[in-house]
Amino acid sequence: DGGITQSPKYLFRKEGQNVTLSCEQNLNHDAMYWYRQDPGQGLRLIYYSQIVNDFQKGDIAEGYSVSREKKESFPLTVTSAQKNPTAFYLCASSIGGRASREQYFGPGTRLTVT
Amino acid sequence: DAKTTQPPSMDCAEGRAANLPCNHSTISGNEYVYWYRQIHSQGPQYIIHGLKNNETNEMASLIITEDRKSSTLILPHATLRDTAVYYCIVRVGYSTLTFGKGTMLLVSP
């Protein structure tokens, strides 16, 4: 089945540790995105990538880093510089470019930092 | 991208039509109206989008007013599984999505 996978579903870390969230897609989509969602809020864009080896900051990129070495993969690292890392993280992909229409979302990773 | 305004919550009886409104009075001519929904603790799901004309697919219908300043998402026969937060988003075709708080639709038996 085609789709987007995120792992793990739940992740627990101690404060001060970097953590990397996985996102893989087999939809052959060019564009990939990372969003953050806090309780009762909408989604906020962290980073996005339109093509391999290229990515842009979203609205709340501080304290996060990404890489896009393969078309299928777009991992997100939550660094110790992120002040409030506990949140629900969602990865998405789309065809990309001017043809971009709908985004397909993964199931999300719920990160808790204590 | 234009800003949207949605009611924070709505109720609907199972089997009835759910009509979710969205105001986007500052929409520009090249901006599309998109609808997504998010069931609790899951990733958002694309529902439908449109530019000027009304649109229908297997999930819903989208009615856009002639002046394009507002739209309505219609779920013709709501089921309990349609309980979710519904997001109305306007965007230029190739730009990123901006999600607000959406409308929490509660479908009751």
Side-chain angles (χ1 to χ4, degrees):
Chain A
D1 288 334
I4 301 174
T5 56
Q6 293 184 245
S7 60
K9 189 170 179 63
Y10 297 95
L11 190 55
F12 298 88
R13 281 293 183 269
K14 293 289 187 185
E15 192 174 332
Q17 293 178 337
N18 292 353
V19 58
T20 298
L21 310 184
S22 166
C23 177
E24 304 278 333
Q25 54 97 1
N26 61 3
L27 300 167
N28 200 33
H29 285 171
D30 289 311
M32 297 187 74
Y33 311 81
W34 274 106
Y35 293 87
R36 168 187 173 131
Q37 187 173 35
D38 294 287
Q41 304 296 315
L43 282 66
R44 291 185 290 168
L45 182 66
I46 305 173
Y47 267 99
Y48 64 102
S49 168
Q50 299 281 25
I51 56 172
V52 174
N53 292 321
D54 187 45
F55 48 83
Q56 287 78 42
K57 293 181 179 180
D59 300 321
I60 54 164
E62 185 175 350
Y64 300 97
S65 65
V66 293
S67 62
R68 187 84 188 277
E69 297 176 0
K70 298 187 299 182
K71 188 176 186 177
E72 307 79 30
S73 179
F74 191 40
L76 173 74
T77 297
V78 185
T79 75
S80 57
Q82 169 49 237
K83 300 299 182 193
N84 298 293
T86 294
F88 188 42
Y89 290 88
L90 288 153
C91 178
S93 71
S94 67
I95 295 172
R98 288 183 177 266
S100 175
R101 290 291 183 258
E102 56 267 35
Q103 292 183 13
Y104 296 85
F105 284 81
T109 291
R110 194 167 296 278
L111 173 66
T112 301
V113 176
T114 57
Chain B
D1 292 337
K3 185 175 178 177
T4 62
T5 303
Q6 299 177 253
S9 63
M10 293 185 65
D11 295 323
C12 180
E14 189 178 19
R16 305 297 292 268
N19 298 286
L20 293 94
C22 179
N23 286 320
H24 31 79
S25 58
T26 61
I27 193 170
S28 59
N30 62 345
E31 287 183 309
Y32 289 77
V33 180
Y34 286 77
W35 284 85
Y36 283 75
R37 74 179 183 183
Q38 186 177 22
I39 295 170
H40 183 63
S41 292
Q42 296 183 20
Q45 176 190 24
Y46 165 82
I47 302 173
I48 200 167
H49 76 278
L51 183 62
K52 285 189 273 192
N53 300 321
N54 298 336
E55 302 287 344
T56 295
N57 63 20
E58 64 278 4
M59 288 183 68
S61 294
L62 173 60
I63 309 297
I64 302 174
T65 58
E66 193 168 339
D67 63 8
R68 302 210 324 123
K69 293 185 177 182
S70 65
S71 60
T72 301
L73 178 74
I74 301 173
L75 308 179
H77 304 286
T79 71
L80 299 180
R81 286 176 292 182
D82 291 322
T83 292
V85 177
Y86 287 77
Y87 298 99
C88 170
I89 301 164
V90 293
R91 69 188 274 233
V92 176
Y94 51 84
S95 69
T96 57
L97 293 171
T98 300
F99 287 79
K101 294 186 179 181
T103 296
M104 175 64 215
L105 175 68
L106 177 62
V107 181
S108 304

